[in-house]
Amino acid sequence: IGKHKTAFEQDNFDHPYDADELHTWAQWGTMGGKRLIHGDADTPEMAKIMREKLPATFEVESGRRKLPQFVWSTDTDEVATQYLRLPGSDDRVGEIRGTGAYVCTVGTELDYYDETGTHVIGEYKILHDRPIAYIPYAKFQEIMKLYLITGPSAKLTFDKITKGAPKGERHHTAVQ
């Protein structure tokens, strides 16, 4: 993905990148769905819940907040993108990134300014190098139902994948 978390390039289907090319980039990501569930914890509390309730799996530490992202394999290509909450609250404390949504991954660097105004470059790193654990999607949904915020889910359309999402819509489209 590009410098500003651009989900797609205009010619992504015409130019699949190999591992050597990807390693020259500062930022890249993986797509949810197609038998993958990406869990993105935005608070330590949600990270703890996901670790306690779900199978231990490969984890990546985010480049800015240093919180974990999890990835599980599953039995379906269609994984819903959903927000996570703590019981008794509707505040967003993470996401399940499903079909058509992307997550930054290992090696991605983020340029940002911290709360003191200091320029920082954060890097996504492997937190727990384990095999990707398998969980049936119905079981995942059952375990996490207390923590899911239900509602409409925006997906990237084929047109957006092939032509690129309009500027200003890329991140919103990809994580909704």
Side-chain angles (χ1 to χ4, degrees), residues 31-43:
M31 297 297 294
K34 300 297 180 188
R35 301 191 182 267
L36 289 179
I37 302 169
H38 290 284
D40 190 0
D42 290 342
T43 66

Side-chain angles (χ1 to χ4, degrees), residues 83-101:
Y83 292 123
L84 299 172
R85 66 182 180 88
L86 296 174
S89 172
D90 283 329
D91 294 338
R92 241 180 68 190
V93 294
E95 300 92 32
I96 301 304
R97 306 272 180 97
T99 305

Side-chain angles (χ1 to χ4, degrees), residues 1 7-8 29-34 36-38 79-82 95-104 153-157 161 170-176:
I1 53 181
F8 300 103
T30 58
M31 297 297 294
K34 300 297 180 188
L36 289 179
I37 302 169
H38 290 284
V79 174
T81 294
Q82 297 170 290
E95 300 92 32
I96 301 304
R97 306 272 180 97
T99 305
Y102 75 95
V103 294
C104 292
S153 170
K155 292 183 180 178
L156 291 174
T157 64
I161 290 171
R170 293 174 182 139
H171 181 72
H172 175 74
T173 300
V175 299
Q176 291 291 320

Side-chain angles (χ1 to χ4, degrees), residues 13-159:
F13 286 115
D14 298 326
H15 184 241
Y17 296 97
D18 63 31
D20 290 334
E21 289 174 298
L22 289 175
H23 284 290
T24 66
W25 291 20
Q27 300 165 326
W28 52 297
T30 58
M31 297 297 294
K34 300 297 180 188
R35 301 191 182 267
L36 289 179
I37 302 169
H38 290 284
D40 190 0
D42 290 342
T43 66
E45 296 83 8
M46 181 49 65
K48 182 176 188 251
I49 289 167
M50 293 171 90
R51 285 185 181 122
E52 289 175 353
K53 304 272 182 194
L54 296 165
T57 193
F58 185 79
E59 292 182 34
V60 174
E61 179 183 80
S62 68
R64 185 172 187 163
R65 290 180 279 179
K66 309 299 181 202
L67 290 165
Q69 295 176 340
F70 307 84
V71 61
W72 296 273
S73 67
T74 193
D75 56 356
T76 183
D77 286 344
E78 289 298 318
V79 174
T81 294
Q82 297 170 290
Y83 292 123
L84 299 172
R85 66 182 180 88
L86 296 174
S89 172
D90 283 329
D91 294 338
R92 241 180 68 190
V93 294
E95 300 92 32
I96 301 304
R97 306 272 180 97
T99 305
Y102 75 95
V103 294
C104 292
T105 194
V106 176
T108 295
E109 294 178 348
L110 293 178
D111 253 349
Y112 67 95
Y113 291 90
D114 69 12
E115 59 280 348
T116 68
T118 303
H119 181 251
V120 178
I121 296 176
E123 182 179 354
Y124 284 68
K125 298 178 182 179
I126 294 173
L127 186 59
H128 293 291
D129 192 4
R130 306 179 179 117
I132 295 173
Y134 174 82
I135 184 169
Y137 190 59
K139 183 174 181 180
F140 178 87
Q141 289 287 304
E142 179 64 26
I143 290 170
M144 294 302 291
K145 70 181 177 185
L146 180 64
Y147 309 101
L148 298 174
I149 297 174
T150 57
S153 170
K155 292 183 180 178
L156 291 174
T157 64
F158 182 74
D159 194 49

